[in-house]
Amino acid sequence: MKVLAHFPVGPRVREQLAPHADWLDVRFCAEDDDDTFYAELPHADVLWHVLRPLSADDVAKGERLRLIHKFGAGVNTIALDAASMQGVAVANMPGANAPSVAEGALLLMLATLRQLPRLDREIRAGRGWPTDQSLGDTVRDIGSCTVGLVGYGNIAKALERILLAMGAAVLHTSTRDDGTSGWRNLDDLLTSSDIVSLHLPLTETSAGMLDVEALSRMKPGSVLVNTSRGAVVDEAALVEALRHGPLGAAGLDVFAQEPVSLDNPLLTLPNVVLTPHVTWFTADTMTRYLDHAIDNCRRLKDGLPLADRVR
């Protein structure tokens, strides 16, 4: 079985794949290497897809494709209708990256609350002492905060367990009232939370959900963290909310346009902590991803039902 893995290979990945070399032929291609991608795609039975959008034209070029396997949960980067019309199955890996993304969201919360990037820059420039007395008025402990989770899937629930252990009060919202004491509708969650963390897929309903009106309802000095999809937030409105209030800071791993444009004003704001869509990207997540992907390739080879098939 020929697999095109749309990501660069490392020694840990090769080691994990080695026991399956007798039946699994995996070719690797960096996401920005279109020449290799289009040379290998027509020969692949399976595509291991990460983030680079897969268009209908791309799917059509996969003449032998039987499966597109998303390394992650969100399938918004895949032309699903085109895959269905071509008879190509699509599967994902819900929950496989939950521990890593939950920790990444916590990292962004702590970095913004504790003003880590600014303090790091200042001490490197010889300005760390005397201590900035404004820290005593602005820096918060997570344990004294109310954290609102927008979306309540595997990642949000993993993060909730960590936050509760740290002493935070945790609220959540999802598509309906789930009857738990922590559930709030979106408006109530935004007005009640010191930190709002986004954990929902990008759909027609969620696109632009955090717009001017929603952001204006957040508490003065509050923090927005986004590890879901950039387009869930109206970025122009977010810039204004960070410049003029009510937001005090933001921690962002995702952007409406990726790779993020160098002229994006978010990159110029001192109260924003940025990472390049990597909160999921750890050795442990990759191990879980590969276990899942190898298992589904074996299922495909043996004519068994695919795990976590979405189309």
Side-chain angles (χ1 to χ4, degrees):
M1 179 175 291
K2 293 185 180 296
V3 175
L4 175 56
H6 208 179
F7 54 86
V9 66
R12 289 176 62 103
V13 172
R14 290 193 185 281
E15 182 179 352
Q16 191 171 350
L17 291 172
H20 311 282
D22 59 326
W23 65 276
L24 202 57
D25 177 10
V26 183
R27 310 292 177 90
F28 293 89
C29 168
E31 288 201 322
D32 60 355
D33 183 357
D34 281 352
D35 289 342
T36 301
F37 177 70
Y38 288 119
E40 294 286 349
L41 183 60
H43 310 290
D45 302 297
V46 177
L47 175 63
W48 289 350
H49 166 76
V50 184
L51 285 173
R52 184 257 200 203
L54 192 66
S55 69
D57 287 343
D58 293 335
V59 174
K61 289 181 173 68
E63 300 167 4
R64 293 179 47 177
L65 275 181
R66 298 168 62 195
L67 170 64
I68 299 169
H69 210 318
K70 167 70 178 184
F71 273 41
V75 293
N76 61 289
T77 51
I78 301 171
L80 296 174
D81 290 343
S84 295
M85 289 179 61
Q86 195 166 314
V88 181
V90 178
N92 67 350
M93 303 181 185
N97 64 9
S100 301
V101 179
E103 289 185 14
L106 178 67
L107 172 71
L108 290 171
M109 290 178 191
L110 289 168
T112 53
L113 285 178
R114 303 301 291 262
Q115 302 179 28
L116 178 63
R118 178 177 73 86
L119 296 177
D120 179 81
R121 289 192 302 269
E122 289 183 355
I123 196 169
R124 290 174 188 272
R127 298 194 302 271
W129 286 272
T131 303
D132 180 353
Q133 293 302 303
S134 72
L135 297 178
D137 294 320
T138 56
V139 167
R140 300 288 307 278
D141 299 335
I142 277 187
S144 66
C145 290
T146 296
V147 182
L149 307 176
V150 181
Y152 199 50
N154 292 307
I155 295 169
K157 290 174 181 175
L159 178 57
E160 180 181 48
R161 291 191 290 270
I162 299 171
L163 293 168
L164 290 173
M166 297 177 74
V170 182
L171 307 175
H172 69 269
T173 192
S174 52
T175 53
R176 59 180 176 80
D177 186 343
D178 57 20
T180 62
S181 60
W183 187 89
R184 298 290 188 278
N185 62 46
L186 180 61
D187 286 350
D188 288 347
L189 182 143
L190 293 176
T191 59
S192 302
S193 300
D194 302 296
I195 305 168
V196 173
S197 189
L198 305 181
H199 302 280
L200 66 170
L202 179 62
T203 65
E204 290 183 1
T205 302
S206 66
M209 176 184 290
L210 271 290
D211 57 12
V212 172
E213 292 186 5
L215 293 170
S216 70
R217 290 194 288 274
M218 292 180 64
K219 294 174 69 172
S222 59
V223 171
L224 178 69
V225 171
N226 190 6
T227 56
S228 59
R229 289 293 184 267
V232 172
V233 181
D234 179 334
E235 285 191 352
L238 176 59
V239 169
E240 289 304 303
L242 287 163
R243 283 175 173 164
H244 307 296
L247 285 182
L252 306 174
D253 185 53
V254 291
F255 304 86
Q257 175 189 332
E258 295 180 358
V260 64
S261 171
L262 291 178
D263 62 3
N264 188 321
L266 288 168
L267 275 61
T268 69
L269 300 180
N271 54 345
V272 180
V273 180
L274 308 168
T275 53
H277 205 149
V278 292
T279 54
W280 64 275
F281 198 18
T282 69
D284 305 288
T285 284
M286 287 302 296
T287 296
R288 291 187 289 267
Y289 279 177
L290 286 168
D291 283 343
H292 198 321
I294 292 166
D295 175 65
N296 254 355
C297 285
R298 189 182 298 277
R299 288 168 178 265
L300 187 66
K301 177 175 71 75
D302 295 342
L304 299 174
L306 296 171
D308 297 308
R309 179 170 180 170
V310 297
R311 282 290 182 100

